[in-house]
Amino acid sequence: MAIIEVDGVRKSYAGRPAVDGVSFTVEEGEIFGILGPNGAGKTTTVECVEGLRIPDAGTVRVAGLDPVADHDRVTLLLGAQLQESELQPKITVGEALELYSAFYPDPADWRSLAERLGLHTKLTSRFGLLSGGQKQRLSIALALVGSPRVVVLDELTTGLDPRARRDTWQLIEEVRDSGVTVLLVTHFMEEAQRLCDRIAVIDKGRIAALDTPSGLIAKAGSSTVISFTPSRPLDDELTRLPGAASYESRNGRVVINGTDETVNAVISLLARLRVTAHQLRVCEATLDDAFLDLTEHSAPADGRDLTERGV
């Protein structure tokens, strides 16, 4: 059952389209990712879902409700962590959780929520003194304190160190396992590949692809990456390999993007020419490869979203 329905949504700023006919559905209980380069329209799309922006055209429904016309009702079932948000530096973690819980008629037990998110030892700590990871944990807690059916997390792990990022990923999985649907906006490929059940890749305001992570990877121009350092130059021979999408040689090391057929051809070629392949590596393509294939030449001149420019 779809809990979020986005159909033909369009939104422009100063005559420039930020979202241009985006459509997708999010099934209840899944982690649905929205992935795309800076300026692609990701944040504008989710702000339409949250009711923070009004689409110029198209429809959005959250559990059958219009986020704008039924804003009060949607607020009770949708929690959100915004891309940029700050609390008053002197407010404590406990005060923030107690305050936010007062906004809802049937809030979660904020003390249990704090313990679940590892904040129970920080209840008397001021927001301004929290680490980046602790602030992110608090932002998740505040998004969940209203006992929502859906939570929107926008660039949740930006600025976190690798350890804090992985801890946050575990929290997101626990949130989903508790029955909450997660709409996750991210530009971290590893994050999307690890967490998401399905991903919509948005490019230039449109859906470039929508599939599972493995499905997107399979659609990449190449599914296998082969790299090695040959015992002698092989440039002429390697440019005509079957299934090869690209080939380059950097400081004597060869990198080929291709398919399983390309792997077999490389091995046969090396054996026939009696060339030794030092440090041979054969890896499956990643979501990075699929993303680059799907969003090639898409970055805006200044690399920022229209919403980031205040338009």
Side-chain angles (χ1 to χ4, degrees):
M1 174 181 175
I3 192 167
I4 296 175
E5 300 170 277
V6 177
D7 185 15
V9 166
R10 301 179 186 274
K11 182 67 179 179
S12 297
Y13 301 101
R16 296 184 60 186
V19 178
D20 189 10
V22 165
S23 300
F24 61 85
T25 60
V26 179
E27 301 301 315
E28 192 157 15
E30 74 174 335
I31 299 179
F32 186 93
I34 295 183
L35 190 64
N38 290 336
K42 306 186 300 295
T43 293
T44 296
T45 299
V46 297
E47 286 179 345
C48 289
V49 172
E50 294 163 336
L52 299 178
R53 294 189 185 273
I54 302 174
D56 298 331
T59 60
V60 179
R61 295 291 181 268
V62 178
L65 302 172
D66 185 324
V68 176
D70 304 309
H71 187 72
D72 289 346
R73 294 172 66 189
V74 170
T75 298
L76 296 179
L77 58 87
L78 184 147
Q81 170 267 328
L82 303 179
Q83 189 179 74
E84 294 184 11
S85 60
E86 288 287 325
L87 298 179
Q88 206 278 338
K90 293 186 178 180
I91 194 171
T92 68
V93 170
E95 290 169 343
L97 288 167
E98 185 174 16
L99 174 64
Y100 273 60
S101 68
F103 299 156
Y104 300 94
D106 187 25
D109 181 345
W110 63 264
R111 292 176 181 81
S112 297
L113 192 59
E115 184 165 0
R116 174 181 163 198
L117 294 175
L119 292 169
H120 56 290
T121 62
K122 296 292 181 180
L123 294 179
T124 59
S125 298
R126 299 187 187 279
F127 179 80
L129 299 178
L130 299 179
S131 68
Q134 290 164 349
K135 287 181 179 179
Q136 294 296 55
R137 287 172 179 267
L138 178 57
S139 70
I140 296 174
L142 295 177
L144 295 174
V145 76
S147 299
R149 291 173 61 189
V150 180
V151 63
V152 179
L153 305 174
D154 192 354
E155 303 288 5
L156 181 66
T157 61
T158 298
L160 297 186
D161 62 61
R163 171 59 64 186
R165 182 174 296 129
R166 289 181 180 276
D167 288 345
T168 303
W169 292 350
Q170 184 176 347
L171 290 175
I172 295 171
E173 290 174 327
E174 290 173 0
V175 168
R176 187 269 308 276
D177 292 344
S178 71
V180 179
T181 302
V182 178
L183 180 58
L184 177 69
V185 181
T186 183
H187 63 264
F188 289 115
M189 303 301 121
E190 185 183 4
E191 181 168 286
Q193 190 168 349
R194 154 82 181 266
L195 294 175
C196 298
D197 298 300
R198 292 187 299 138
I199 299 170
V201 178
I202 297 184
D203 186 30
K204 299 176 184 176
R206 299 180 178 181
I207 298 288
L210 198 165
D211 208 332
T212 63
S214 59
L216 291 175
I217 292 170
K219 293 175 183 176
S222 57
S223 59
T224 306
V225 180
I226 309 136
S227 62
F228 60 93
T229 302
S231 56
R232 69 168 177 81
L234 290 172
D235 291 355
D236 292 340
E237 293 88 345
L238 293 176
T239 57
R240 298 184 296 275
L241 290 170
S246 65
Y247 154 78
E248 63 177 315
S249 180
R250 295 178 296 213
N251 299 320
R253 185 159 184 82
V254 171
V255 179
I256 303 167
N257 292 285
T259 63
D260 289 344
E261 183 183 12
T262 312
V263 176
N264 294 330
V266 167
I267 293 173
S268 296
L269 178 66
L270 293 173
R272 178 164 52 85
L273 297 179
R274 298 180 183 277
V275 173
T276 302
H278 299 287
Q279 296 179 319
L280 176 64
R281 301 285 186 273
V282 180
C283 305
E284 291 186 355
T286 66
L287 197 55
D288 278 298
D289 302 304
F291 179 80
L292 291 173
D293 283 346
L294 292 166
T295 61
E296 188 176 9
H297 309 308
S298 65
D302 63 357
R304 291 185 296 156
D305 196 324
L306 289 166
T307 56
E308 293 171 356
R309 300 178 221 164
V311 179

